Amino acid sequence: SGQRSPMAVYMCRAVLPAHAGPRGELGAGPLLRWMDAAACLAAEKHAGVSCVTASMDDIQFEEAARVGQIIAIRTKVNRAFKTSMEVGIKVTVQDVLTNAEKIVSVAYATYVAKPVGGGKVELKPVQLLSAEDHLEHSLAIERRRIRLGYVQVFQKLMQESNKEGDFYTCEEEDAVSTEHTHVQSTELVLPPHANHHGNTFGGQIMAWMQTVASISASRLCRSHPILKAVNMFKFWGPSFVGDRLVFNAIVNNTFHNSVEVGVRVEAYNCEEWIQDQPRHINSAFLIFSALDDKGELLTFPRVKP
């Protein structure tokens, strides 16, 4: 229809050297922060109150952005449920010299309305203006069903794999123990990491998770890993300014040219820190690949759990 959705938010960012990794490409950490910020703005534009990140679905990174290029992030609310809503995220990279545009990533995030005072707000329906809006609105309910069933499916798989004798063992002599890939990092949540209510930005937590996972993967490839995909970021609970966040990452398995790293995040306030009583607030699985000096994919060694 050519009409712009009233719940859409457009954000542009120039890729500067401070945003880039060793290969001169935009780091996944800054990009995840920008994606979360733009999606949260769209959610709050619709809700009229503050919103927090509940989850971000499987994220695929198709294209790399380099220093000097422009990242454009388009977000819009696809569907509002009772107190939560789905926000679609599309990231493209634009070359300022050629004006060419390529898709970097497409993702879907869920945000929960958090009004001041802790009450609940009934979200209004989304205004649908185009055929694309209607399609995304219909698909959103199916994606929500998948999200709600994700936990039950994963728990069932874990129960089945925990049966005696079902554990995988690697017989190869040159297999690397996953113990060598374990990385732990601790971050203190400061005011710049949080919103005006003191809740830690979801994008900031995702960026920290990407950093620790990247270090874990690098211990296998002995190179600079490239984040290719992320299994759903699911926020089980909030964290706040003053909390200590402990990130534990370890390689779960390798698949020839890629590696899966699992990350678990636990939060502590001062009292919980002293008593060693963590709050599990997030887990995710991140998929990395790595390139050699010729730009060809590296082969990861087999691992021994």
Side-chain angles (χ1 to χ4, degrees):
S1 66
Q3 292 177 291
R4 177 177 294 186
S5 170
M7 295 303 113
V9 169
Y10 298 83
M11 178 183 290
C12 288
R13 290 286 185 269
V15 181
L16 303 177
H19 304 139
R23 301 176 63 88
E25 297 174 347
L26 172 64
L31 179 56
L32 288 167
R33 285 198 301 269
W34 297 342
M35 290 169 66
D36 178 62
C40 188
L41 287 173
E44 293 184 343
K45 191 176 182 181
H46 180 79
V49 296
S50 296
C51 296
V52 295
T53 314
S55 68
M56 192 173 288
D57 289 5
D58 295 342
I59 309 168
Q60 305 290 329
F61 294 98
E62 307 293 342
E63 190 75 26
R66 304 191 66 83
V67 172
Q69 294 182 320
I70 304 297
I71 286 290
I73 304 174
R74 300 169 175 87
T75 63
K76 68 180 180 71
V77 177
N78 292 328
R79 186 163 186 156
F81 304 100
K82 249 189 172 180
T83 59
S84 67
M85 70 208 85
E86 180 193 274
V87 180
I89 308 168
K90 182 179 180 181
V91 184
T92 58
V93 58
Q94 302 169 344
D95 192 293
V96 295
L97 299 180
T98 64
N99 211 28
E101 185 176 57
K102 296 181 180 179
I103 295 178
V104 174
S105 182
V106 174
Y108 298 93
T110 300
Y111 289 84
V112 177
K114 289 287 185 181
V116 178
K120 290 189 176 182
V121 59
E122 190 81 17
L123 294 173
K124 60 186 178 183
V126 173
Q127 184 180 356
L128 306 176
L129 301 179
S130 65
E132 182 184 353
D133 289 346
H134 282 275
L135 176 60
E136 291 291 0
H137 184 265
S138 299
L139 292 175
I141 193 69
E142 299 302 324
R143 287 189 289 260
R144 184 171 187 261
R145 187 174 292 114
I146 293 173
R147 294 181 195 110
L148 295 176
Y150 175 84
V151 177
Q152 288 82 355
V153 171
F154 186 75
Q155 288 176 340
K156 182 179 179 181
L157 288 172
M158 289 298 293
Q159 289 171 357
E160 292 175 352
S161 67
N162 284 339
K163 294 176 182 177
E164 188 175 355
D166 281 354
F167 289 108
Y168 166 81
T169 56
C170 182
E171 303 296 335
E172 296 183 23
E173 292 183 1
D174 59 346
V176 179
S177 172
T178 56
E179 180 183 3
H180 299 302
T181 69
H182 176 235
V183 177
Q184 184 178 87
S185 177
T186 304
E187 299 287 349
L188 176 64
V189 180
L190 299 174
H193 305 140
N195 63 19
H196 52 292
H197 293 302
N199 294 85
T200 317
F201 285 119
Q204 179 62 66
I205 295 175
M206 290 188 279
W208 281 331
M209 293 175 76
Q210 185 274 333
T211 298
V212 70
S214 178
I215 296 171
S216 175
S218 70
R219 293 184 173 178
L220 278 185
C221 65
R222 300 185 182 278
S223 180
H224 301 294
I226 303 167
L227 182 63
K228 301 302 293 183
V230 184
N231 181 267
M232 183 186 293
F233 281 114
K234 173 68 176 177
F235 291 89
W236 302 103
S239 60
F240 309 95
V241 171
D243 278 353
R244 285 81 171 159
L245 303 188
V246 178
F247 299 78
N248 278 288
I250 194 167
V251 167
N252 290 330
N253 211 340
T254 58
F255 311 97
H256 193 61
N257 294 129
S258 63
V259 58
E260 178 189 282
V261 181
V263 185
R264 177 183 175 92
V265 188
E266 295 173 331
Y268 302 77
N269 60 29
C270 288
E271 185 176 346
E272 292 165 340
W273 186 252
I274 294 172
Q275 298 178 358
D276 193 24
Q277 295 179 333
R279 309 187 316 273
H280 176 211
I281 63 168
N282 200 306
S283 287
F285 303 102
L286 297 86
I287 307 297
F288 292 88
S289 63
L291 302 176
D292 61 18
D293 294 337
K294 299 179 181 179
E296 297 178 352
L297 288 170
L298 289 174
T299 300
F300 286 88
R302 296 296 300 274
V303 293
K304 181 168 57 178

